[in-house]
Amino acid sequence: MFPVKTNSVLLLMQIMLGLLVFASMVLHCQGLSRHTFVVKETPYTRLCSTKNILTVNGKFPGPTLQVRKGETIVVDVHNKGDYNITIHWHGVKQPRYPWSDGPEYITQCPIQPGKKFRQKVIFSSEEGTLWWHAHSDFTRATVYGAIIIHPKKGTHYPFPKPYAEFPIILGEWWKQGIMELYETFRLSGGDPNVSDAYTINGQPGDLYPCSKSETVKLMVDHGKTYLLRIINAALQDILFFAVAKHNITVVGTDASYTKPLTTDYIAISPGQTIDVLMKANQPQGDYYMAASVYSSAAGVTYDNTTTTAILHYNGTYNASSRPYLPNLPSYNDTNASASFTGKLRSLADEDHPIKVPLNISTKLFYAASVNTFPCNNRTSYCEGPNGTRLAASLNNISFELPTTDILKAYYNHIGGVYGDQFPSVPPLLFNFTADYLPSFLLTPKIGTEVKVLEYNSTVELVFQGTNLAAGTDHPMHIHGYSFYVVGWGFGNFDKDKDPLGYNLVDPPLQNTIAVPKNGWATIRFKANNPGVWFMHCHLERHLSWGMDSAFIVKNGDYPEAQLISPPPDMPPC
Ligand code: C2O
Ligand code: CU
């Protein structure tokens, strides 16, 4: 009846379809797989109450990305929520392409509500487990998911192929809304409210109210070996994790293989991933896998609950009434945390050679402190110690995010956004880990300073934790790089003695390292990835307080050593 209209509609549809096919062919010809992430509010019920949380595609935890080593994928991120958001691919080095890295006001302006951003995720040497998460305010509390990087076709794990694999994503849950949590935290000047539960794959488990029927269950066959890809996505806490009556064998961390390390528990920092093999070799029955906090700062309140999932043996047998619980180290067991982390070693075999820099061109020493600012009760809340506001710093600079991103400013030579004078050593040397420190040391400066590195410089960076305000562990993370952890210890770093003990043979290759409470850790890396790369403590409160900085790694002098140009759709501020 309406031939003309129908035809033109049909034609239009054909053209549109053609365009779509063409667009996906272009991506396909480049071998790129495509994903769509729609960030939106979704109602979820936990601990007997329902609230809206930010999710990706309505899922919590969000979708798992499966890739092969060396692949590049495209993720279209649509912000259908009410808040600014960015997405970061934690541990993915994004060679020469910081544009898609994600941290807000470092490499991009946030994606505003209703807007979208096409991100290219470029995998290179990573193999194993990583994860993605939101990187704005506290939004990563619920916006996260696993990234599984399989070996290239025709290559294999450096261990016998497990019968099956399970991601184990550890998280943290608040009954309060996350935006509200963030706002009260920001205003109060004190510590954030502690969480109401920890979670495994989004579920608190049997030990919490209204949670039992949803507890995560892993079904295993007796005699088979399983690969658990453990990710700590918690906002604020290092966690201990164990499986009752089962030893586990660590085979990788932060998407790099390790020498097999058999243990009865692990300590895992926010940001870190640990791959373990678990042999189902116990009498058939139900066993808990569980995680609880490691919280080392004196006088700081913490969530003392325990999250569980059930390891269930398939078959018919008389099950004992209640699953066994594992013994986890106690919440303040600094030795248990540091000694586990200190046992990690790179696999360092013929197929996985290590490339730890031996001649160092750039030596850096960063003191990581929790600090306080004097506080005026009339203009702000002062819930830090003695009526102060809590802060944090690296080399006495409390990092303040700019209002347009550093990468754009660097690339386009826009002045006044950041300073390039981040100090290589603390401005004042003191007994960092002394029991009592004079209060004048407590107040940091505020700044947006970055460290500029020459292309291919070989960097050694000593992180020194201090006992200002309260000594605690700091899981330090660098974007765009993995680094070798060549040494660590308690107390003050001794520049004459401690380097003699460095492991330059098989140090673990990580992207996050927990600097032990009132201790130090030394990392090495080669600055061969040009760009702007955020560096921060992965405890979200410390990040928010300013325990951050960035590296600008300059271009090398040939095209393959230089930044790729930005995509056309960088979000505006
Ligand atoms: Cu998990 Cu700035 O990163
Ligand atoms: Cu920290």
Side-chain angles (χ1 to χ4, degrees), residues 56-70:
V56 164
N57 301 348
K59 291 191 182 154
F60 173 69
T64 297
L65 294 173
Q66 308 259 2
V67 301
R68 279 195 192 276
K69 181 180 184 178

Side-chain angles (χ1 to χ4, degrees), residues 10 41 114 243-244 260 279 281 310 368 450 478 512 515 524 559 570:
L10 259 176
E41 300 270 345
V243 186
K279 188 153 196 209
N281 59 3
I310 295 171
V450 309
I478 305 181
T512 306
V515 180
R524 288 186 179 187
M570 288 303 297

Side-chain angles (χ1 to χ4, degrees), residues 8-29:
S8 62
V9 168
L10 259 176
L11 187 67
L12 193 70
M13 278 173 63
Q14 272 174 357
I15 291 174
M16 277 170 49
L17 200 72
L19 278 175
L20 260 176
V21 169
F22 179 71
S24 66
M25 265 170 56
V26 169
L27 289 171
H28 224 84
C29 291

Side-chain angles (χ1 to χ4, degrees), residues 41 102 118 122 183 203 215 237 244 278 283 338 361 425 450 481 528 534 563:
E41 300 270 345
R118 170 168 289 183
I122 306 175
E183 276 309 302
Q203 290 295 343
T215 298
D237 291 295
M278 185 199 65
S361 65
V425 292
V450 309
Y481 285 87
N528 54 8
F534 201 23
L563 278 185

Side-chain angles (χ1 to χ4, degrees), residues 473-475 537 539 542 547:
D473 296 64
H474 300 294
C537 178
L539 301 181
H542 294 180
M547 193 174 280

